[in-house]
Amino acid sequence: IEGFRAVFQQVLWYFPIAQLVRKSEDTEKIMNSLVGMGLFLGLHSVYQYIAKVPMPGNWVDVTENVRTRAFSIVGSPNILGALFVLFMLLGLFFTLSRGAWLAFAFSIFIFIIVYNPKLLLPFMFLGGVFILSGGTMSQRLLFMLSPSYMAKSSKAGRLYRWSVGIDKWKRNKFLGLGLGRFGGAVAMNNQLSPFYLDNYYLKTLTEMGIYGILGLAFVIIYFIISSSRIIKAQVDNKKKILAMGLFSGAIGVLAQNFVENIFEVPAMAIYVWIVMALINTLAPSEKDFIK
């Protein structure tokens, strides 16, 4: 029951937002409030990084020269980074979350592809300059490509945990081990799993099997298709940019779920469902089409 609640309870937030928010003006007000919250977290993160606030967790490899990672009031740099990805704020760089950086880059890539593909080459050039700059953030990204990182990850890191998750899934490929049984917060809290899988989709596959992952894939694909139609149908450029920003942010968080259990944090899942509902409020009405 707890495993079911952890997956499906956050989905319920979609429905009141979809029913209560009907005007694009209200959508803008809500997004301004959320971005304002993100701005506060961003400023707090910058302060933490400058002040070298001690990290409460083992968040870096012993071979990395990282003095601190911003986590603000969220408690985790990876989850804080996911918030910044969703709201497209650059404060995520101080979290030093590689998953969040890659998700943010993917979000910007999607935004550019939809808005103006001509900007793709400058974006890729700037990304290459950033990666080769030699700074702390670029070093953490390049470290993922090193043999040392791959060896450690295969022995006790993500690659090892993913291999264990796949072995568990093979025991019941269609139905999985059962909700809350392995690789997530519920399993950890009930001593049923020794670690998080750090891949929400693999966690879903392991616990819910092929049927569960197909259900999740259906929701994501439908969201992409419906959002694309809404963006394409916009006649107002301001609303189109807002819809593109909401869509790109949500896609970024969905991408980050490949390397983190982002939806295991209720607040993050709720924010994404709210964003998904807000995009629907931007669907042009018949009056807009007449205009």
Side-chain angles (χ1 to χ4, degrees):
I1 294 175
E2 186 181 354
F4 179 87
R5 177 200 59 76
V7 174
F8 292 99
Q9 180 174 316
Q10 284 69 248
V11 181
L12 298 177
W13 281 83
Y14 175 91
F15 299 100
I17 296 298
Q19 293 298 317
L20 295 175
V21 182
R22 296 299 185 94
K23 299 179 180 179
S24 59
E25 293 78 9
D26 295 333
T27 299
E28 293 181 21
K29 292 178 182 178
I30 294 174
M31 280 309 302
N32 288 337
S33 299
L34 294 176
V35 171
M37 177 196 70
L39 177 61
F40 165 76
L41 294 175
L43 293 174
H44 189 217
S45 300
V46 173
Y47 161 75
Q48 284 185 324
Y49 191 79
I50 295 176
K52 301 181 182 179
V53 175
M55 294 181 289
N58 184 23
W59 293 336
V60 295
D61 191 272
V62 293
T63 61
E64 294 183 274
N65 184 26
V66 176
R67 55 183 184 177
T68 189
R69 295 178 63 185
F71 52 92
S72 189
I73 60 175
V74 177
S76 166
N78 292 330
I79 300 302
L80 179 63
L83 273 172
F84 290 147
V85 170
L86 185 62
F87 301 136
M88 308 290 275
L89 296 170
L90 295 178
L92 70 90
F93 288 113
F94 295 103
T95 66
L96 298 186
S97 172
R98 287 175 290 218
W101 294 346
L102 295 174
F104 179 76
F106 185 66
S107 298
I108 298 296
F109 174 79
I110 294 297
F111 185 90
I112 290 175
I113 287 294
V114 177
Y115 183 67
N116 188 350
K118 294 181 180 179
L119 298 175
L120 188 58
L121 284 178
F123 169 71
M124 295 175 65
F125 173 76
L126 291 175
V129 171
F130 168 75
I131 292 175
L132 299 176
S133 64
T136 301
M137 293 176 281
S138 65
Q139 289 176 11
R140 277 183 59 79
L141 287 174
L142 292 173
F143 179 64
M144 292 192 301
L145 303 177
S146 67
S148 175
Y149 175 84
M150 298 299 293
K152 291 181 179 179
S153 183
S154 299
K155 184 177 181 180
R158 279 186 175 87
L159 294 179
Y160 167 74
R161 295 195 291 272
W162 292 352
S163 65
V164 173
I166 292 174
D167 289 338
K168 294 286 185 180
W169 164 68
K170 290 179 179 178
R171 298 181 182 181
N172 192 338
K173 294 182 179 180
F174 289 97
L175 297 177
L177 301 179
L179 284 167
R181 294 291 178 179
F182 190 83
V186 176
M188 289 285 291
N189 293 338
N190 290 277
Q191 290 80 49
L192 297 175
S193 176
F195 45 66
Y196 287 89
L197 279 177
D198 282 343
N199 183 326
Y200 189 78
Y201 304 111
L202 181 56
K203 177 258 183 188
T204 301
L205 179 66
T206 303
E207 292 189 340
M208 301 175 68
I210 292 176
Y211 292 122
I213 197 65
L214 287 178
L216 180 57
F218 172 81
V219 173
I220 294 174
I221 292 172
Y222 184 82
F223 164 69
I224 293 174
I225 294 174
S226 62
S227 297
S228 299
R229 288 175 176 172
I230 291 173
I231 293 171
K232 185 177 180 180
Q234 293 298 323
V235 293
D236 183 285
N237 193 54
K238 181 180 179 182
K239 292 181 181 179
K240 184 173 184 178
I241 292 176
L242 176 59
M244 289 166 53
L246 290 169
F247 174 70
S248 301
I251 286 294
V253 175
L254 292 174
Q256 193 175 347
N257 264 322
F258 279 106
V259 293
E260 305 285 351
N261 283 25
I262 298 299
F263 278 5
E264 289 285 282
V265 180
M268 276 308 309
I270 289 170
Y271 285 135
V272 173
W273 284 109
I274 289 176
V275 166
M276 289 181 175
L278 291 177
I279 293 177
N280 284 334
T281 67
L282 298 174
S285 63
E286 292 184 6
K287 183 186 297 186
D288 293 325
F289 282 118
I290 293 174
K291 289 182 179 179

